[in-house]
Amino acid sequence: MASRVADFWERQRRAPLFEALEQHAGQQPYPFHVPGHKMGASFDSEGKARFQTILPLDLTELTGLDDLHQPEGVIAMAQELAAEAFHAEWTRFLVGGTTVGNVALIMTVCKPGEKILVQRNCHKSVYHGIMMAQAIPVFIVPAVDLSSGVAAGLRREDVERALQAHPDAKAVFLTNPTYYGMGIDLVKMAAVVHRHDIPLLVDEAHGAHYGFHPALPLSAMQSGADAAVQSTHKMGTSMTMTSMLHIQGERINRDRLQRILGMLQSSSPSYPLMASLDLARRHMVYQAGKEIDQILPWLERLREQIDALDWLDTPTLTENSVFATLDPLKLLLCVRTGTFTGYRLQEMLEKEGIYPELAQTTHVLLAASTGTSPQDVEQVSQFLERVHADGVPGEKLSTDIGILASSFLREQVLPMHEAVDVETERVSLQQAIGRISAEMVIPYPPGIPVLLPGERIDAQVIALLQELKAAGARFQGIKDSELQMIDTIKRS
């Protein structure tokens, strides 16, 4: 046992892809190959000083540098080390973010016309995967946290009922943790799903750090999920656009998945991005725990400060919570005053040089990580002290969860992949009531659609969209960025 542990630590010291890039650049070769900047020899004069250190590593599939689409050398080694570190059997590097992993998973498990059970408050990439697979989604509404009003995870009993009602479903796809750091008991959920002998797929975009510190929840792989996609760049330390896809067990056809990834990912993947995944894995194994040890006490003191305010609070895990886990590195600030919205609080923070992850009507999300310093947290603390000292008038608000909870499900008249390819007609929001949407309306962030193509538009969703717009929300997926008009399916 001791020798196996020692072997693990010795193996994890390596960063084979990064080391190979460094070795190649150190030889000062003559690059008669792409990319055209020739390891930094030709580059914009003003930008060169900033990019110069990384450009020599921006290489292509040269001898000794392996190939992401046919990994047999240093990329294969880097992926094997990642699988070991993240408790998976099989790991693939992604240079198109968790988006490409989610799409590939759905296209792997579902053929056209096949069903998949899906958590309704999932990321837009999951819907895109369903559309590309021409699968039939069976949506399951998540539980709503009463204290914050945000959607949390799925209840096991709801998943069980859906599995019994749809025994032909090919997989269950859920998000854990949510954008806000809330999670479910994945071990028990995996047991429920596996009783029906289908795979449990997890969008773990915000959980790449899970399992690397005792204060953090277990990861999806540690909990028995069949597949998980992690945005290693979000809560890990790799570069933006990089993610990892982890697999274990025999319920996922790995050959089919590899083939689909080859279709979806660039044939010219970025070597600096892939090397950053290699290094992020090593960092998580060797350094992340100590950095988390340092920042957690500061975050806990900030939570205590927030709890003492009557105009702001943050969710806490109790016996009555609808979520089973809570990421201590995420702080969801819930505004409890009529004086300003979450968007206004974001503006106030940004004037102080503090940039949150997202803002919504009554929320602001602060995402800490291993890279957050005590000084960063202290800036937030001092800001809150100043705001509180100035006084925050206004009637205390209670969370109106009715519209949030009921905004998830509406009548699906046409499959999404059909609704986006029919003749459309643009109408005002009020004229759209009763019609069928031809667009996906996505408040961003967090990127969770409130209206899908093929859904019937009702007064409730129009009221929600108008409320979000008035509060300052930004939208994706729609042609009219002002959200005055919306594309609907043309009536015959």
Side-chain angles (χ1 to χ4, degrees):
M1 178 65 178
S3 63
R4 287 201 299 271
V5 171
D7 289 345
F8 168 84
W9 289 104
E10 185 62 30
R11 286 191 301 274
Q12 290 293 321
R13 289 187 187 279
R14 295 286 312 278
L17 177 55
F18 173 72
E19 292 162 5
L21 294 174
E22 283 278 88
Q23 181 180 18
H24 183 88
Q27 295 171 354
Q28 297 185 329
Y30 302 98
F32 285 88
H33 57 75
V34 297
H37 60 69
K38 304 302 181 188
M39 302 179 70
S42 175
F43 203 74
D44 178 83
S45 57
E46 291 186 20
K48 191 170 184 177
R50 178 67 70 181
F51 281 81
Q52 185 61 60
T53 57
I54 198 87
L55 291 174
L57 304 186
D58 187 23
L59 297 164
T60 189
E61 290 82 0
L62 304 176
T63 300
L65 298 186
D66 208 359
D67 183 342
L68 179 65
H69 296 285
Q70 191 68 37
E72 297 173 343
V74 290
I75 293 177
M77 293 170 59
Q79 292 181 151
E80 288 168 5
L81 288 171
E84 181 181 49
F86 288 90
H87 306 278
E89 295 175 359
W90 189 88
T91 291
R92 287 297 179 266
F93 287 175
L94 306 176
V95 292
T98 293
T99 289
V100 75
N102 285 344
V103 172
L105 275 179
I106 294 170
M107 293 181 72
T108 296
V109 300
C110 286
K111 296 181 176 64
E114 293 182 335
K115 294 179 184 177
I116 182 169
L117 306 187
V118 181
Q119 182 170 333
R120 178 58 180 86
N121 61 324
C122 59
H123 188 260
K124 61 179 182 175
S125 60
V126 176
Y127 298 98
H128 294 158
I130 292 169
M131 293 166 70
M132 293 174 71
Q134 297 187 19
I136 305 300
V138 177
F139 293 121
I140 306 175
V141 178
V144 174
D145 174 48
L146 296 178
S147 66
S148 64
V150 302
L154 298 183
R155 301 178 186 89
R156 291 194 304 279
E157 56 268 30
D158 292 338
V159 174
E160 182 70 69
R161 278 193 292 269
L163 287 167
Q164 291 172 354
H166 302 275
D168 52 345
K170 298 300 180 181
V172 172
F173 199 113
L174 56 81
T175 302
N176 195 81
T178 66
Y179 207 142
Y180 313 106
M182 299 170 179
I184 63 174
D185 188 330
L186 269 182
V187 173
K188 293 180 179 178
M189 182 64 78
V192 168
V193 175
H194 290 161
R195 280 201 296 270
H196 296 260
D197 198 27
I198 60 174
L200 173 61
L201 317 179
V202 181
D203 179 344
E204 200 174 25
H206 290 268
H209 56 315
Y210 276 21
F212 285 96
H213 189 278
L216 299 175
L218 295 178
S219 69
M221 288 289 97
Q222 290 172 305
S223 301
D226 300 272
V229 194
Q230 296 175 333
S231 293
T232 321
H233 68 96
K234 282 187 168 70
M235 298 301 289
T237 57
S238 63
M239 294 172 67
T240 297
M241 284 185 66
T242 57
S243 295
M244 294 188 194
L245 171 57
H246 304 298
I247 301 291
Q248 63 183 350
E250 303 301 323
R251 293 185 179 90
I252 306 292
N253 185 328
R254 299 179 193 181
D255 289 339
R256 178 176 170 84
L257 178 55
Q258 180 71 35
R259 185 169 65 252
I260 291 173
L261 283 173
M263 299 175 188
L264 297 176
Q265 297 221 85
S266 171
S267 60
S268 301
S270 165
Y271 272 80
L273 293 184
M274 291 189 290
S276 78
L277 285 169
D278 197 16
L279 293 171
R281 179 268 313 160
R282 185 168 70 180
H283 175 267
M284 291 303 294
V285 171
Y286 276 96
Q287 297 169 268
K290 293 179 181 179
E291 292 172 342
I292 293 173
D293 277 338
Q294 180 188 41
I295 198 60
L296 281 182
W298 288 84
L299 293 173
E300 185 56 36
R301 284 193 287 272
L302 182 57
R303 280 191 176 84
E304 292 172 358
Q305 179 184 359
I306 293 168
D307 287 343
L309 302 174
D310 58 1
W311 59 275
L312 198 67
D313 61 37
T314 187
T316 56
L317 182 60
T318 69
E319 291 183 358
N320 297 321
S321 297
V322 296
F323 49 94
T325 63
L326 188 62
D327 186 352
L329 298 182
K330 291 284 185 73
L331 280 88
L332 180 61
L333 307 181
C334 304
V335 179
R336 295 291 185 246
T337 174
T339 306
F340 47 77
T341 66
Y343 299 107
R344 174 58 182 149
L345 180 58
Q346 178 189 32
E347 292 176 1
M348 295 163 67
L349 284 162
E350 289 179 351
K351 284 183 178 179
E352 301 294 326
I354 302 166
Y355 286 83
E357 169 65 18
L358 69 80
Q360 296 174 305
T361 307
T362 56
H363 304 98
V364 170
L365 179 64
L366 304 180
S369 75
T370 58
T372 302
S373 70
Q375 291 75 25
D376 296 334
V377 180
E378 181 61 22
Q379 289 300 310
V380 178
S381 177
Q382 291 178 9
F383 164 80
L384 294 177
E385 287 180 1
R386 290 194 295 272
V387 174
H388 188 66
D390 291 341
V392 185
E395 182 181 355
K396 186 174 181 180
L397 300 179
S398 61
T399 304
D400 179 8
I401 68 166
I403 194 167
L404 291 170
S406 58
S407 65
F408 284 112
L409 285 186
R410 12 203 56 84
E411 180 189 1
Q412 189 77 38
V413 182
L414 282 179
M416 288 186 288
H417 65 271
E418 292 183 14
V420 295
D421 282 329
V422 298
E423 191 174 359
T424 64
E425 183 177 8
R426 187 168 298 182
V427 299
S428 69
L429 286 189
Q430 288 303 321
Q431 290 176 320
I433 295 175
R435 304 189 65 151
I436 302 169
S437 176
E439 296 185 294
M440 188 180 294
V441 185
I442 313 165
Y444 199 90
I448 298 170
V450 297
L451 185 63
L452 300 175
E455 284 187 334
R456 191 175 300 281
I457 302 169
D458 55 31
Q460 189 179 58
V461 75
I462 292 298
L464 174 59
L465 292 175
Q466 290 175 328
E467 178 184 341
L468 291 170
K469 177 187 172 184
R474 294 183 294 114
F475 295 90
Q476 293 183 348
I478 54 174
K479 297 184 179 70
D480 179 11
S481 60
E482 298 298 320
L483 200 62
Q484 295 177 344
M485 310 288 286
I486 188 170
D487 281 5
T488 63
I489 293 176
K490 189 171 184 178
R491 289 173 172 168
S492 56

